Amino acid sequence: MNYHQAIKRHWPIGSGVTEAACKTLVKQRLCSSGMRWKATGAEVLLNTRSLIQSKGRWEQLWTNILSGKQKVDL
């Protein structure tokens, strides 16, 4: 990893941001009391949750779907 470039671009270089994202995206949603998930269901949920939690990505997805740039498998 080029730490100098990462710092210059204000990219996170520590594990704290990654750990916080895991807690926010995964732990809070999948690990509540009594919840059980199969891998497929958890994957769909986390993909959707990450799009919603990432600024502008949910809107970008729907713009691409509506314009035909993104294929949707139902």
Side-chain angles (χ1 to χ4, degrees):
M1 179 172 181
N2 187 334
Y3 287 98
H4 179 71
Q5 284 292 338
I7 291 169
K8 186 176 174 182
R9 294 178 180 172
H10 304 286
W11 291 350
I13 58 171
S15 63
V17 173
T18 303
E19 290 175 21
C22 287
K23 182 179 178 184
T24 303
L25 287 171
V26 180
K27 248 349 211 167
Q28 287 180 349
R29 185 61 182 96
L30 296 181
C31 297
S32 292
S33 179
M35 289 190 172
R36 301 290 180 263
W37 296 90
K38 292 185 179 180
T40 305
E43 182 180 1
V44 170
L45 181 86
L46 292 175
N47 285 339
T48 304
R49 188 164 167 79
S50 65
L51 285 170
I52 292 169
Q53 294 284 331
S54 300
K55 187 174 183 171
R57 297 290 288 166
W58 182 253
E59 292 80 12
Q60 182 184 27
L61 171 70
W62 280 104
T63 299
N64 289 339
I65 289 171
L66 296 174
S67 70
K69 292 180 184 176
Q70 178 100 17
K71 184 182 176 220
V72 179
D73 295 324
L74 299 177

